[in-house]
Amino acid sequence: MIQTVRGVHDLLPGETTLWQFLESEALSIFRRYGFEEIRTPLFEKTELFARAVGATTDIVEKEMYTFADRGGDSLSLRPEGTASVVRAFVQQSMHRHLPWKVWYRGPMFRYERPQKGRQRQFHQIGCELFGPEGPLADAELMAMAMHYLTGIGLKDALVLEINSLGCLACRAPYRDRLIAALRTSAAQLCDDCQNRLERNPLRVLDCKRESCRATITRAPVMLDHLCPGCHTHFAILKDHLTGLGISHQVNPLMVRGLDYYNRTAFEITAVGLGAQNAVAAGGRYDGLVEQMGGTATPAIGFAMGLERLALLLDGENRHTLPMEVYLVTLGNAAEQAGLKLADTLRKAGLSVELNLGGGSLKSQMKRAGRSQARFAMLIGDTELANNVVVVKDMLQSQQQEIPIPETVNHMITLCRTSP
Ligand code: HAM
């Protein structure tokens, strides 16, 4: 038997119902903030991700699904959505339409070690906001993320962590300071961190290995070395969040695994997910549009992992949608009449499961019960002869006969008025 690739999953009916809910809430809530959906390709030129996400990041160095197409071009499945959105922004000259607010949903691909909440094909809902430079936009975006997460039913379990990663002006001297500090105890760092030390030293701060913790806690942090502009930006952001009643924690060690960030970085973690507890993450990337060849435009965004949201909302339960009507038919003539009746009821807007594959009255009624339909309708030879159907209320176990020509109106009224 051929199975799915490791770290890649089917979403079965029932699970998809929950996912549709997650997506429709995004559509509805983001719309209120002026965001519209964008759909970008699942694969792009490898160079896009190398330049946008950063050639020395784990994502680009170790995790991309990269292949040569038949023309010899190096392409990669997208490991995240921001690079493509920025490419689209530049390619379509969207700097003429600021502020440009877009959201996206869909699969992303990273060759990571699979575990709970971490897949190789996973799904994100993300938002990107181009144009505004001040902390008001940062606060509004975080408020929107929290609005969405609480709106889908995650209330108490969320923690919003924020940090500032400084700007080009203040990060370079800080980076030198950090490297100097880390070098003094380089021998205590793990192999990965020793490697990162020269190439991407901020990532050392993010290492979760116990052996690196002592060195990291002594290292200087960006927050203590912000320039006045970055300092003010961060201070105002905190005030805005407080003003909105959004509780938040400053985490000076949060650095993020993508290189494009500056100033504000944030993560929203949730209790109950284990090690992979970040449900949403993002930040500012004011230099990226220009770096990708566009007109300099500040921007900020975030993305949420749908698998993690689904795990939190519902570990095991399935949300198969109940049907409104289950149609039981007994005999060939009744089957044919049932097919027609189901067709008419569906075209009138009702959800109808027509019994397929025959069976006795008892077995068909059992299936009707399992389908969780609110009503069962029954047609046999006697009903056909009298031009009626039997309608059974499955909750109240009452039944009545309805003339076939009246069924549509009757069933619509019943379905609309029944709890
Ligand atoms: P990220 O932190 O790499 O950021 O991913 C955002 C979220 O996607 C994570 O917090 C997590 O919920 C989910 N996620 C990431 N990797 C996996 C995985 N292997 N399996 C399951 N879920 C995963 C970004 O991707 C940025 N593009 C976010 C952003 C948008 N920044 C600015 N704009």
Side-chain angles (χ1 to χ4, degrees):
M1 189 186 40
I2 300 176
Q3 303 208 338
T4 48
V5 172
R6 191 163 124 82
V8 170
H9 298 287
D10 297 313
L11 277 177
L12 299 176
E15 286 170 287
T16 48
T17 317
L18 177 57
W19 283 55
Q20 284 158 4
F21 163 71
L22 295 175
E23 293 181 359
S24 65
E25 283 297 292
L27 187 68
S28 143
I29 291 176
F30 299 162
R31 181 76 199 89
R32 293 178 224 173
Y33 293 77
F35 282 72
E36 290 190 76
E37 189 178 359
I38 181 170
R39 300 193 184 193
T40 61
L42 295 196
F43 57 90
E44 301 264 8
K45 291 181 181 153
T46 302
E47 194 195 346
L48 171 70
F49 302 115
R51 274 176 53 195
V53 175
T56 61
T57 56
D58 283 355
I59 294 181
V60 169
E61 278 194 333
K62 305 181 191 160
E63 297 171 1
M64 282 211 298
Y65 283 87
T66 297
F67 56 97
D69 73 1
R70 288 174 191 275
D73 288 330
S74 178
L75 306 178
S76 296
L77 298 183
R78 60 183 188 189
E80 57 105 51
T82 311
S84 300
V85 173
V86 169
R87 186 212 24 79
F89 178 88
V90 174
Q91 189 174 337
Q92 315 294 344
S93 304
M94 285 303 161
H95 61 278
R96 300 200 195 110
H97 303 276
L98 299 180
W100 198 54
K101 300 173 168 185
V102 292
W103 74 276
Y104 50 89
R105 52 177 146 179
M108 310 289 163
F109 307 87
R110 294 183 195 174
Y111 190 82
E112 292 192 87
R113 200 167 47 77
Q115 63 182 86
K116 182 183 169 197
R118 189 162 72 191
Q119 292 77 234
R120 290 182 174 172
Q121 175 176 319
F122 61 99
H123 298 75
Q124 284 185 343
I125 289 182
C127 298
E128 313 291 350
L129 165 54
F130 295 79
E133 163 171 47
L136 196 62
D138 309 24
E140 197 186 41
L141 201 77
M142 287 183 211
M144 182 170 85
M146 293 303 280
H147 182 169
Y148 174 80
L149 292 167
T150 50
I152 60 169
L154 302 175
K155 285 205 171 58
D156 310 322
L158 302 175
V159 180
L160 168 64
E161 293 184 36
I162 58 173
N163 191 18
S164 176
L165 301 174
C167 62
L168 284 184
C170 53
R171 187 142 16 128
Y174 163 71
R175 191 176 181 275
D176 292 343
R177 237 180 247 261
L178 178 65
I179 294 177
L182 292 174
R183 270 199 196 127
T184 59
S185 42
Q188 273 94 62
L189 294 173
C190 68
D191 288 350
D192 272 352
C193 286
Q194 296 205 8
N195 193 6
R196 284 178 191 137
L197 203 158
E198 307 295 332
R199 287 151 49 84
N200 202 342
L202 265 76
R203 290 291 292 157
V204 172
L205 299 180
D206 209 22
C207 183
K208 304 283 182 288
R209 288 207 183 83
E210 207 41 55
S211 54
C212 296
R213 295 314 299 172
T215 310
I216 292 168
T217 41
R218 284 197 307 270
V221 293
M222 185 73 240
L223 273 189
D224 294 334
H225 297 88
L226 295 177
C227 64
C230 289
H231 186 270
T232 308
H233 187 106
F234 195 57
I236 297 177
L237 167 63
K238 287 187 288 183
D239 281 351
H240 284 329
L241 290 175
T242 307
L244 279 167
I246 298 177
S247 59
H248 53 278
Q249 293 173 8
V250 174
N251 176 358
L253 294 180
M254 186 224 302
V255 291
R256 311 280 301 120
L258 306 96
D259 279 356
Y260 45 63
Y261 293 113
N262 68 303
R263 290 196 164 164
T264 310
F266 67 101
E267 279 188 7
I268 302 172
T269 55
V271 179
L273 275 178
Q276 302 306 317
N277 63 353
V279 290
R284 251 188 194 280
Y285 49 93
D286 294 334
L288 187 57
V289 170
E290 190 175 19
Q291 190 195 314
M292 300 309 287
T295 309
T297 311
I300 180 166
F302 70 95
M304 305 179 286
L306 282 187
E307 280 80 3
R308 296 184 190 178
L309 298 181
L311 269 174
L312 280 171
L313 281 182
D314 183 350
E316 294 302 322
N317 295 337
R318 300 283 176 255
H319 290 263
T320 309
L321 287 175
M323 303 298 281
E324 287 167 304
V325 176
Y326 192 97
L327 192 43
V328 171
T329 60
L330 293 166
N332 290 343
E335 253 183 14
Q336 202 175 357
L339 182 64
K340 229 172 121 188
L341 183 58
D343 186 59
T344 312
L345 291 171
R346 287 173 187 143
K347 284 177 180 156
L350 299 181
S351 60
V352 181
E353 180 140 3
L354 174 65
N355 184 75
L356 300 174
S360 65
L361 175 62
K362 194 169 160 202
S363 68
Q364 291 196 43
M365 285 309 291
K366 246 192 196 160
R367 284 179 217 150
R370 272 203 304 268
S371 79
Q372 294 180 25
R374 184 70 179 77
F375 300 97
M377 294 175 75
L378 185 152
I379 316 179
D381 290 339
T382 324
E383 285 75 24
L384 265 188
N386 297 333
N387 203 24
V388 295
V389 299
V390 174
V391 177
K392 180 168 180 190
D393 185 322
M394 299 294 277
L395 282 185
Q396 292 168 7
S397 295
Q398 292 160 351
Q399 61 180 55
Q400 53 180 327
E401 277 186 359
I402 309 293
I404 287 186
E406 290 169 27
T407 25
V408 171
N409 286 343
H410 185 85
M411 291 312 296
I412 287 178
T413 315
L414 264 186
C415 290
R416 297 240 165 92
T417 52
S418 304

